[in-house]
Amino acid sequence: MDKLNIMGIVGSLRKDSYNHFALKAAQALLPDDAVLNLVSLHGIPVFNQDDEMSPPTAVLEFKRKILAADAILFATPEYNYSLPGGLKNVIDWASRPYGENAWQGKPSAIMGASIGNFGIARAQYDLRKILVALDMPVVIQPEIMIGNAAQKFDIDGTLTDEPTRQLIRKLLVSLLNLEKSTRHAIGG
Ligand SMILES: Cc1cc2nc3c(=O)[nH]c(=O)nc-3n(C[C@H](O)[C@H](O)[C@H](O)COP(=O)(O)O)c2cc1C
């Protein structure tokens, strides 16, 4: 049987991004029947509706990966109390043109890391609101808000905080269950 193909999208382009490290941790914690392929936002230009009928190659490639995925896992920082513009930008591209929303129906889950104490919640709730517009089923619990990230990853970017590792395991199982129930609901 083919393994379930999860697409992991990191909202940060930073080389040593904690959110990228969180997705690497998820790769290692994933059940055997699934793979998590990480996709970066590098090279995606700013959305221009004039180009939505003939998008740039990088956007077409990104959309192709979404369509090929069984589920989506977002890991994003919070920038100024919301999600980073780069992530919103790629969400907008892949939702267009009207009637060709690549996100529609894709089971999804959200996690995120911040260097602050209370960061992330505002970005995650903004992202959840956007997923409603995109018509994406999303895992409700657990919510993974990794505060004080600098204390939870070691110098090599390995997630060392055991409670967070447990939460990520739970989130992945919930995402796989959501994918299964969504597939059954549409008769797949
Ligand atoms: C433009 C900008 C805005 C930020 N705003 C917030 C914020 O609103 N809340 C927060 O918790 N952290 C904020 N931060 C700090 C991020 O939590 C921190 O840079 C984090 O490491 C970014 O995630 P990354 O490691 O995956 O790149 C901000 C950082 C930047 C660059």
Side-chain angles (χ1 to χ4, degrees):
M1 201 179 86
D2 280 350
K3 292 195 176 202
L4 208 82
N5 170 17
I6 304 175
M7 177 176 176
I9 302 176
V10 59
S12 168
L13 293 170
R14 206 167 68 83
K15 185 164 55 64
D16 291 325
S17 159
Y18 292 116
N19 286 280
H20 184 243
F21 293 151
L23 280 176
K24 301 286 281 183
Q27 277 181 320
L29 297 168
L30 202 60
D32 282 347
D33 55 349
V35 287
L36 174 59
N37 295 306
L38 306 194
V39 177
S40 141
L41 307 181
H42 273 109
I44 307 278
V46 174
F47 177 73
N48 179 345
Q49 197 181 354
D50 288 337
D51 298 332
E52 68 176 5
M53 302 309 289
S54 52
T57 311
V59 171
L60 288 173
E61 179 60 14
F62 199 92
K63 269 188 99 166
R64 196 191 57 71
K65 287 179 181 162
I66 298 168
L67 291 168
D70 297 304
I72 310 286
L73 175 58
F74 294 97
T76 184
E78 178 171 280
Y79 281 179
N80 296 315
Y81 289 13
S82 191
L83 60 158
L87 178 56
K88 178 64 164 59
N89 182 54
V90 81
I91 287 174
D92 292 340
W93 268 122
S95 71
R96 300 295 297 180
Y98 183 75
E100 291 178 34
N101 171 13
W103 304 104
Q104 186 162 32
K106 292 282 169 194
S108 61
I110 299 172
M111 60 182 187
S114 159
I115 53 168
N117 256 337
F118 306 111
I120 290 300
R122 294 157 296 213
Q124 291 197 3
Y125 291 129
D126 281 358
L127 180 54
R128 281 181 189 274
K129 184 180 65 181
I130 292 164
L131 300 191
V132 175
L134 301 171
D135 193 17
M136 293 176 83
V138 58
V139 170
I140 295 171
Q141 293 277 351
E143 294 185 295
I144 303 193
M145 300 170 181
I146 310 171
N148 297 316
Q151 279 89 62
K152 299 195 174 138
F153 295 85
D154 71 12
I155 190 98
D156 302 318
T158 302
L159 178 63
T160 50
D161 186 62
E162 193 47 41
T164 306
R165 294 174 66 82
Q166 290 293 349
L167 272 182
I168 292 178
R169 269 194 204 97
K170 275 194 192 155
L171 184 79
L172 293 168
V173 169
S174 299
L175 179 58
L176 297 188
N177 287 338
L178 178 64
E179 190 281 333
K180 232 176 264 155
S181 57
T182 307
R183 188 154 31 88
H184 287 159
I186 57 172

